[in-house]
Structure formats: C-alpha cells, structure tokens
Amino acid sequence: MSPTFERHLYRNTTLAAGSLAALLGVFVMAAWHFKAYRLTHMLPNATPMVFNTAFCFALSGAGLIAYALDRRLLNRLSAVTVLVIMSSIGLEYLLHLDFGIDQLIVSDPINQRYPGRSGQTTAIVFVDFSIIMLMALVRLRSDAYRLLVAFGAFTIVSIGALGMTNYVTDTAAMLRGASFARIALPTAIGFLLLGGGLCGRLYSDARHLHILPLSAGIVG
C-alpha cells in the first residue's frame, strides 16, 4: 500500500471509531431517558454505564471525528468539556463530596452507593483521553512528546480490552476484580473505540509511525 493510501485508511478508521463511540453514547443516553435500564449494561447483573459516562462518550466521539477532520475548535471544546466533567467526578471521589452533577439530567435507581456517578477508573481514562486529545493538537517535533501521546492512546485501548476480557472470561470474577475490571461492558467497548481511533489518527500522520510500535511495546 502507498503511504497516502495508508494515511487515508487510518484517518477513516478514526472517523469510524469516533462515529461508533458517539452513537454508543447517544444510545445509552436514550436508554436512560426512556428508562430502558437493561440496555445500559447489556448483561444481567453487570455494571451499567451511567448517563454522564454516555454523555462523555458522545462528546469524545464527536471530538475524534473533529480530530480526524482537523476541526481543531470542536476538538478542543469536546476535550475540555469532558475533562471538566470527569475531573469534577474525580474530585467528588477524592474529597468525598457531591457536586450535584451525578444525577443532574436523569435519576439513577440502579446504583445504590453512588447513584449516577461514573466509576473512578472511567473518570481517570476520560481525563487521560481528553488530555491526549489536547496534547495531540500541539504540533511539536519532540519524539518524547509524541511517545507520551501514543502511550496514552494505547493505555486506553489496553484498559478497554482488559475490561472486555473479564466479561468474556468470567463475569463473576470481573465483579470482584480490579477497578478496571468493574467498568461497564459498553464502557469497555467505548474505550476500545476511543483508543483505537486515537491510534488510527496518529498512524495517519507519518511522523508518528516509528513512535507507535515503541509505545505499544511499553504498554504491553
């Protein structure tokens, strides 16, 4: 394949991943709105994706699409919005406070301990994603900088893959396992899409091609 064809292929991969992540978010948001709660977790007795997580997937998916199309303003707006929401949730956990954002749009009758609140791992991954999106907009030539961006993208893919693996292999073990294993199944799928879309966009830029294999090896 020619380099130009490969760049277009990876760019289209980012567009597809962003579109699917956004659709996933909209789908789960609709499930909460119409009280179709079974659709928020996909498996019986599994962890549901809360509304705020779905909203951030819709925004992040739109941001990936903007990133692939070089719409820098929309990219920044989506990344900053997700960063503010998920950083606030992280502070809620850290400070043992409730800022009133967990059930701002819809009520959550499923989760008893933290109704409507995204999980800690989910918040951390979204903060990571948002920062990577903002960093990727800065066109610096430092290989160390590019490696850091690529490392973050592969980390998101890895967490999504680990979360899905626990559902595929043993749901009960997943519920008792590490924090990354307790993320909702649709959340794990969404992280795979977001991380994969980021990797596709980085691959579409020929300057990063020698960086990605190294970052993948570090994460692995």
Side-chain angles (χ1 to χ4, degrees):
M1 291 187 294
S2 67
T4 301
F5 178 80
E6 287 189 4
R7 284 195 293 272
H8 283 297
L9 176 62
Y10 292 127
R11 174 179 172 274
N12 291 336
T13 299
T14 301
L15 285 172
S19 299
L20 289 173
L23 286 173
L24 173 65
V26 171
F27 176 81
V28 176
M29 287 168 64
W32 279 104
H33 178 75
F34 292 108
K35 296 181 169 55
Y37 300 127
R38 290 186 178 182
L39 299 179
T40 65
H41 48 68
M42 296 184 181
L43 292 176
N45 302 318
T47 305
M49 179 194 289
V50 299
F51 185 89
N52 282 348
T53 299
F55 179 62
C56 286
F57 270 118
L59 284 177
S60 298
L64 261 186
I65 295 171
Y67 184 28
L69 299 176
D70 290 323
R71 300 292 190 268
R72 300 170 69 85
L73 178 59
L74 178 58
N75 191 354
R76 287 194 184 97
L77 287 174
S78 64
V80 170
T81 303
V82 172
L83 181 61
V84 170
I85 293 172
M86 288 299 167
S87 295
S88 299
I89 291 173
L91 286 175
E92 286 184 319
Y93 282 112
L94 183 64
L95 303 176
H96 303 286
L97 296 174
D98 185 351
F99 297 147
I101 61 176
D102 299 332
Q103 300 183 88
L104 184 63
I105 307 297
V106 298
S107 60
D108 179 2
I110 302 175
N111 299 290
Q112 300 300 319
R113 187 176 183 185
Y114 298 114
R117 184 176 298 181
S118 303
Q120 298 178 51
T121 301
T122 298
I124 291 170
V125 174
F126 269 117
V127 168
D128 177 31
F129 175 81
S130 302
I131 292 174
I132 293 169
M133 289 284 280
L134 294 171
M135 290 177 65
L137 292 173
V138 180
R139 301 187 180 278
L140 297 182
R141 296 182 179 181
S142 167
D143 280 352
Y145 185 89
R146 296 172 191 164
L147 178 61
L148 182 61
V149 172
F151 176 80
F154 276 107
T155 300
I156 295 172
V157 172
S158 299
I159 292 175
L162 288 170
M164 285 193 64
T165 299
N166 280 277
Y167 279 97
V168 172
T169 56
D170 187 350
T171 301
M174 175 276 300
L175 294 173
R176 298 191 301 268
S179 59
F180 67 78
R182 291 195 295 269
I183 62 178
L185 177 58
T187 302
I189 295 171
F191 286 154
L192 276 175
L193 291 170
L194 292 181
L198 271 177
C199 292
R201 182 61 178 87
L202 294 174
Y203 263 116
S204 71
D205 188 344
R207 295 173 303 169
H208 295 83
L209 288 178
H210 65 291
I211 294 297
L212 286 170
L214 176 58
S215 60
I218 293 174
V219 174

